[in-house]
Amino acid sequence: MDRGILEREPELVRLAAAAREAADGAGSVALVFGEAGIGKSSLVRAMPERLPQHTRILLGQCDDLATRRPLGPFRDLIGSVGAELAQVVMEGGDRHRVYEALQGELSGVPHPAVLVVEDVHWADEASLDALRFLVRRMARLPAVLVLTYRDDELSREHPLRHLLGQVSRADRVHRMPLARLSESAVRTLSSASRLDPAQVYEVTSGNPFFVTEILAAGGTGTVPPTVVDAVLARLRGLDGRSVDALEQLAVVPSAVERGLVDRLLADGVAGLAAAEQRGLLTVTPERVAFRHELIRRAVADSLPAARRIELDRQVLTALVARPGSDPARIVHHAARAGDQDAIARYGPDAARDATEAGAHREAAAHLRLVLRQRHRYTPAELADLLERYAVECYTVAHSVEAVAAQRDAVALRRSLGDTLALGADLRWLSRIHWWAGHAEEARDAAREAIAVLEHAGDDRLLALALSNTAQLRMLSDRFAEAIAHGERAIALARRVDDAAILAHALNNVGSARWRSGDPDGRRQLEESLAVALAAGEVEHACRSYANIIWTLLDNLQYAEADRFLPPAMELADRAEHLGFLNYLHVEQAMRRLAAADWDEAERHAEYGMHEFVPARCPALTVLARVRVRCGRPGTDEPLTQAWEIAVGAGELQRTGPVAAVRAEAAWLRGDHAAAAEAAGPVHAHARRLGYGRYQAELGYWLGKAGQPPAPADDSDHPYALQAVGEWKRAADLWWQAGCPYEHAAALAESPDPADKLTALAQLDALGAEPLARLVRAELRRLGVRHVPRGPHAATRGNPAGLTDRQLQVVRLLVDGLTNPEIADRLVVSVRTVDNHVRAVLEKLDAPTRRQAAARAAELGLPPYGEM
């Protein structure tokens, strides 16, 4: 084997096997990860010799630009892929065409394809979305998708984590963490050198790149103190023109295409021969690249600031002079060179390219840079830029910046006297305020939008404003007002023949009617769905699905909800509408919670824990309720966060469920005063609005807390029945609805010990330890002599009393995974894993992770695959 690729045989064998399986139609994803210099690129370079004959290899690279190139790694494929993919990637405006072309490229060849995307920790948002699309389909493609990344650079909020969570749910995944070289391997690599292998190992800790650089610089027999010193030592002896050329190329954070090389260097590639011979560069007829990114960084970081600014200015000049240069690259070097004129000129174009490619984070970053130069634009131009920036921030969940930018845009439109633009901006400001959790501000902006547009002569904009207000009124349970505004919007939408606005308005009116008790509302809501689907309005169709499902869940019609959830999730998934897909996962979490399927409820709720604020509140509520009912640690934080979001939204659909969980948690721990305090104010709000579902549940918890029951209404909701002592009818209704926990809880309210014993057995089977403990205490107070101790069903078969999820965590601890790695594997947040690890340590009576692993082995806990 090549000495430069020592101790990578298992990974190469595994990749070769994956390619053979792909040739048989069983595609997969391979994750190759480790620290900088660990040999990810070396493994990729060694891979072709091991793959089956005729395997097609496609290689894309993500660049360390300040603001990434949209679809950067897929642009690198141009020249090695078909014309269709090349064209749509360069155009970049229709992401679905890009996805379809990528899928066609990987499936349309007779031999297996291996698509390698290197350094995905630097990927732009559009590329990450494209990779998510591929990941979900790789199992059905004759291809392998290889992703390389630095796992030590991933913060908890890093965008790549979402993709890795998606990968962990794929059918076939190969995880290949690359280890550092052993001391024996370092000794082998050092055999031809005069350096002491032990000293080389001590300085490098076995990092392959560091070893290579130390050995290359060690001709004197002295080990350089740092790798940067080793890299710079290789420049010594090069003539001045070669060093100048290296420094010029080092400020370009990517491979440098031949045309740009020729513009930057007087001698072109001919002047790079000496650096190539020293192993610093890789030169091909098409491009020049540093042999390793760390070499480029070492050279670039060694430059004085003045020298680096001048070199970036030269790159900027060369890019501007070349027709068709990527605006993102121009802006990168303009920012590095401090050229504000170039930023102002090319920044808006770079942002537009990013938006069209679906790279909204990158678009927001470009516009943020542009808006530092506000004085360079006319008021109308500035208003347009602020609107664009607000929408991009809204899209990527930067709520504070979105609100501030849209407010500024509104102020400019007022000063310009542009009535239609002002009305449109006020409607957007209302939407952004609502999404950010500012309910009152959203309503104020919505009222003004209607006032501005009422007589402005644009029926379409007025319909939008009316429908927006109808939505806000519906969400805040002011149903009559929602219907009044929504019906006006429906009439206008039909007049202007706008299917999107019609679907939106029908959705609001139908939701308001159905939730207020009018069964005809469901018909309108389903009409909204049909209109949206027929018009290809995916976002509006997803919203219709979401509201249908939410109302069915609220009405305990779980079997009906099960009918709508699969097609809704399939539509959102196929359209890559991740915001609504996550929201639908949260609704699936609510459904699994009702079925007392705790782990599945947690798994689906995790999808809502990211940027999309409307999904985050119910997701946190589900997670908290699972932990409350199962006695798991970590309930306070999600409840606190959920309550803050709910109060900011001011909507009963948010405050009601959170208040119920807070009351239930307090009652289960015996704090009846806290239970009443949690339930009381929101119950009063529900009574004022006449919303029976939350009025019933919160009234029930008030009664459990010792508060006088509210005046009886005619509700047949199970919680309302329990509140007046009709536990038997309530238990039957819970059972018919498919809610085993609530059924057991109602049964436990029977005065008959036999019913309580039946309830206890059900609670034990569900793993609902807190309520089971209270039922046991009640049975003892009633004088029942043989109260079953009954092991927790989820911990039966393991003497430590761990839940299924805790058993998974402890097995991964035994395997040596870190909490972020466990989070990736189980598709949960790192915070959730932190809580599980803490509980595991407590139950195993182990102060450290290592001792927990040892204790698990002593107890003979089942391996991961046997759970």
Side-chain angles (χ1 to χ4, degrees), residues 583-598:
Y583 197 86
L584 291 163
H585 271 291
V586 173
E587 292 187 322
Q588 183 69 272
M590 296 163 64
R591 171 66 183 102
R592 300 326 305 159
L593 174 68
D597 187 352
W598 313 123

Side-chain angles (χ1 to χ4, degrees), residues 545-598:
Y545 269 127
N547 281 349
I548 290 170
I549 293 163
W550 186 283
T551 309
L552 289 170
L553 294 174
D554 256 6
N555 293 343
L556 311 184
Q557 295 174 276
Y558 297 112
E560 278 284 274
D562 288 340
R563 188 164 63 84
F564 284 94
L565 272 163
M569 297 180 78
E570 181 183 354
L571 174 65
D573 187 14
R574 187 172 66 249
E576 297 290 307
H577 208 305
L578 299 181
F580 270 111
L581 180 60
N582 290 343
Y583 197 86
L584 291 163
H585 271 291
V586 173
E587 292 187 322
Q588 183 69 272
M590 296 163 64
R591 171 66 183 102
R592 300 326 305 159
L593 174 68
D597 187 352
W598 313 123

Side-chain angles (χ1 to χ4, degrees), residues 308-640:
R308 181 160 187 162
I309 289 170
E310 175 58 23
L311 294 173
D312 272 306
R313 189 192 63 77
Q314 292 180 26
V315 178
L316 172 62
T317 301
L319 288 172
V320 169
R322 294 178 67 216
S325 289
D326 189 334
R329 295 180 71 187
I330 292 176
V331 171
H332 170 85
H333 291 286
R336 297 277 185 166
D339 190 329
Q340 304 304 327
D341 289 335
I343 292 172
R345 179 178 177 185
Y346 294 99
D349 290 340
R352 185 172 291 104
D353 286 351
T355 298
E356 290 175 352
H360 299 288
R361 290 187 184 88
E362 286 68 31
H366 285 304
L367 289 167
R368 191 177 300 118
L369 199 60
V370 164
L371 288 170
R372 293 176 187 170
Q373 311 295 320
R374 294 189 180 200
H375 62 282
R376 296 174 183 271
Y377 303 97
T378 68
E381 290 171 336
L382 181 56
D384 287 340
L385 289 170
L386 286 164
E387 290 167 4
R388 290 171 56 190
Y389 182 53
V391 171
E392 296 304 332
C393 290
Y394 165 83
T395 305
V396 300
H398 293 169
S399 59
V400 174
E401 295 175 59
V403 169
Q406 192 64 20
R407 277 177 169 163
D408 288 350
V410 166
L412 280 170
R413 293 302 184 194
R414 287 192 206 282
S415 70
L416 291 167
D418 188 338
T419 302
L420 292 178
L422 173 60
D425 273 359
L426 284 164
R427 198 270 307 177
W428 254 115
L429 180 60
S430 171
R431 177 65 181 172
I432 292 171
H433 267 309
W434 174 81
W435 164 80
H438 309 155
E440 193 57 43
E441 292 91 338
R443 288 191 284 270
D444 289 344
R447 277 193 294 269
E448 187 180 359
I450 292 176
V452 167
L453 293 169
E454 189 74 65
H455 304 293
D458 191 315
D459 285 349
R460 181 181 175 280
L461 285 179
L462 178 58
L464 273 171
L466 288 165
S467 192
N468 174 70
T469 297
Q471 181 181 12
L472 292 174
R473 297 297 187 268
M474 179 269 292
L475 292 170
S476 59
D477 304 298
R478 295 161 69 175
F479 298 131
E481 296 174 44
I483 292 167
H485 284 93
E487 286 183 335
R488 284 192 64 197
I490 289 170
L492 287 171
R494 293 192 193 279
R495 183 188 303 171
V496 298
D497 194 25
D498 192 308
I501 301 175
L502 178 60
H504 191 269
L506 284 167
N507 189 327
N508 299 324
V509 173
S511 296
R513 283 195 167 130
W514 194 3
R515 294 181 188 185
S516 62
D518 181 354
D520 193 49
R522 177 170 179 174
R523 181 195 60 76
Q524 276 188 298
L525 196 44
E526 292 187 359
E527 182 186 354
S528 164
L529 175 60
V531 168
L533 289 173
E537 294 285 349
V538 174
E539 180 176 358
H540 292 294
C542 288
R543 181 170 170 263
S544 298
Y545 269 127
N547 281 349
I548 290 170
I549 293 163
W550 186 283
T551 309
L552 289 170
L553 294 174
D554 256 6
N555 293 343
L556 311 184
Q557 295 174 276
Y558 297 112
E560 278 284 274
D562 288 340
R563 188 164 63 84
F564 284 94
L565 272 163
M569 297 180 78
E570 181 183 354
L571 174 65
D573 187 14
R574 187 172 66 249
E576 297 290 307
H577 208 305
L578 299 181
F580 270 111
L581 180 60
N582 290 343
Y583 197 86
L584 291 163
H585 271 291
V586 173
E587 292 187 322
Q588 183 69 272
M590 296 163 64
R591 171 66 183 102
R592 300 326 305 159
L593 174 68
D597 187 352
W598 313 123
D599 287 346
E600 279 298 288
E602 273 196 323
R603 185 175 74 82
H604 286 286
E606 287 290 339
Y607 283 86
M609 298 298 290
H610 304 301
E611 296 96 339
F612 192 51
V613 174
R616 185 168 174 78
C617 184
L620 288 162
T621 307
V622 169
L623 288 174
R625 189 154 234 165
V626 167
R627 293 172 189 177
V628 164
R629 291 184 172 181
C630 295
R632 299 177 184 175
T635 60
D636 290 345
E637 186 175 358
L639 270 180
T640 300

